[in-house]
């Protein structure tokens, strides 16, 4: 019996040969390296994407494997992460983690969106929570608002929880009346963590 070719193992064999070069020179060859890694990941699953962290005081770089928020590719992330070897210069992380920051601003097109611009009202539904989301200056005809919101969501609660714990989301303009009774966006972390308990 021949062992079936495992694309995850093949990826890490390839990456292991390049990992020191990537570790040392990522900032100066960013576009080239991003394209190389992306091409290899797309060969495993077309939805796989990644992020590479900066070096802080000679520490390891983070290599974050992501399904880009698409539940259908979560298994591909898990499989790739499980196949990862121990690497001298890298910490391999599955799914975009929480950023642990008080505020993050996302700029897309003419839209600048931060945590402070977003409020929500939760509605619990079993292991999920549906959200009525309210965004400052929101315009339904500008998709940049929803794109920026979902990036903020990932940064606040992490990619895995954003997909597995959030049910339906409806986005609305923020009014002063809603601001008075809705929760601040940063409070969503506690709401999600209650679902885990």
């Amino acid at each position: 019996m021949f062992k079936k070719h495992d694309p995850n193992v093949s990826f890490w064999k390839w990456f292991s040969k390049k990992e020191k070069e990537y570790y040392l020179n990522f900032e100066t060859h960013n576009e080239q390296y991003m394209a190389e890694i992306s091409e290899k990941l797309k060969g495993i699953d077309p939805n796989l994407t990644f992020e590479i962290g900066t070096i802080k005081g000679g520490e390891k770089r983070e290599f974050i494997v992501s399904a880009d928020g698409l539940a259908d590719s979560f298994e591909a992330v898990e499989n790739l992460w499980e196949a990862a070897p121990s690497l001298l210069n890298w910490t391999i992380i599955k799914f975009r983690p929480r950023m642990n920051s008080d505020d993050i601003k996302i700029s897309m097109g003419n839209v600048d969106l931060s945590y402070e611009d977003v409020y929500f009202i939760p509605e619990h539904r079993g292991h999920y929570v549906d959200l009525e989301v309210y965004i400052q200056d929101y315009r339904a005809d500008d998709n940049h608002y929803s794109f920026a919101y979902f990036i903020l969501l990932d940064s606040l609660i992490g990619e895995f929880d954003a997909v597995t714990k959030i049910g339906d989301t409806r986005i609305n303009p923020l009014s002063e009346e809603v601001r008075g009774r809705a929760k601040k966006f940063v409070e969503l972390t506690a709401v999600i963590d209650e679902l885990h308990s």
Side-chain angles (χ1 to χ4, degrees):
M1 291 287 291
F2 289 101
K3 188 174 181 181
K4 186 179 179 182
H5 167 72
D6 187 337
N8 299 297
V9 172
S10 296
F11 173 83
W12 291 118
K13 281 183 178 177
W14 169 81
F15 188 84
S16 295
K17 294 175 183 175
K18 309 271 286 184
E19 61 104 0
K20 188 169 185 181
E21 176 189 347
Y22 287 164
Y23 177 81
L24 293 173
N25 304 312
F26 187 75
E27 279 73 22
T28 54
H29 295 77
N30 182 289
E31 288 188 19
Q32 175 192 338
Y33 293 167
M34 291 284 281
E36 290 175 2
I37 297 169
S38 181
E39 180 182 0
K40 294 289 185 181
L41 288 177
K42 300 298 183 192
I44 299 172
D45 183 299
N47 296 323
L48 286 183
T49 185
F50 69 100
E51 296 172 15
I52 287 180
T54 57
I55 302 174
K56 300 172 184 175
E59 296 176 358
K60 291 185 174 186
R61 283 189 189 270
E62 292 182 345
F63 185 102
I64 300 168
V65 183
S66 166
D68 210 19
L70 299 169
D72 288 347
S73 295
F74 270 29
E75 185 177 358
V77 172
E78 293 278 4
N79 291 340
L80 185 63
W81 179 79
E82 287 177 5
S86 177
L87 296 171
L88 181 64
N89 299 306
W90 298 84
T91 300
I92 312 302
I93 298 171
K94 58 179 177 179
F95 305 111
R96 287 191 289 259
R98 295 180 179 186
M99 298 297 288
N100 297 318
S101 175
D102 291 337
D103 199 15
I104 289 175
K105 177 179 278 190
I106 303 297
S107 297
M108 300 187 77
N110 295 319
V111 174
D112 293 321
L113 205 62
S114 70
Y115 290 168
E116 293 182 353
D117 298 318
V118 183
Y119 287 73
F120 73 98
I121 296 174
E123 182 177 333
H124 291 273
R125 183 164 53 86
H127 297 294
Y128 297 89
V129 61
D130 294 336
L131 297 179
E132 286 286 349
V133 173
Y134 300 89
I135 297 177
Q136 182 73 40
D137 301 323
Y138 173 71
R139 291 198 353 249
D141 63 345
D142 189 341
N143 288 333
H144 290 122
Y145 282 97
S146 58
F147 291 149
Y149 164 75
F150 284 109
I151 294 172
L152 284 181
L153 181 68
D154 275 2
S155 71
L156 181 67
I157 66 172
E159 177 183 5
F160 187 83
D161 283 343
V163 173
T164 62
K165 298 299 178 185
I166 303 294
D168 294 332
T169 300
R170 291 175 295 276
I171 302 178
N172 313 276
L174 176 66
S175 66
E176 286 305 312
E177 184 271 328
V178 168
R179 192 194 300 268
R181 60 186 173 88
K183 293 179 180 291
K184 293 181 178 179
F185 193 48
V186 291
E187 296 179 73
L188 182 58
T189 302
V191 172
I192 295 301
D193 287 347
E194 284 179 12
L195 294 176
H196 288 290
S197 59

